Amino acid sequence: MQNIGVPGLIIILVIALIVFGPAKLPQLGKAVGQTLKEFKNSTKDIVEDVKEEFKLEDKDTDTKK
């Protein structure tokens, strides 16, 4: 997705306007934004859980020594 560039984004926006129409485009943008926010929050939770699990494993190995 890094190689799209400005012309590619303009083409994508024009196609989205044609397919969804100007009335639906703000609703579509809002839905995409909410989806990305939920994805970010869930991945953050997963990363925190994994970090906590590693901390617990480190404590277990330290107490066994």
Side-chain angles (χ1 to χ4, degrees), residues 29-50:
K30 183 179 178 182
V32 169
Q34 288 176 346
T35 302
L36 289 174
K37 182 180 176 183
E38 290 176 16
F39 179 75
K40 182 180 174 184
N41 288 338
S42 58
T43 54
K44 188 172 98 174
D45 290 342
I46 291 171
V47 168
E48 288 175 0
D49 289 344
V50 169

Side-chain angles (χ1 to χ4, degrees), residues 9-23:
L9 289 175
I10 292 172
I11 292 171
I12 290 171
L13 288 174
V14 168
I15 292 172
L17 277 171
I18 292 170
V19 171
F20 297 109

Side-chain angles (χ1 to χ4, degrees), residues 56-65:
L56 290 175
E57 287 179 8
D58 286 343
K59 285 182 182 179
D60 288 343
T61 56
D62 288 343
T63 57
K64 289 181 181 179
K65 289 182 179 179

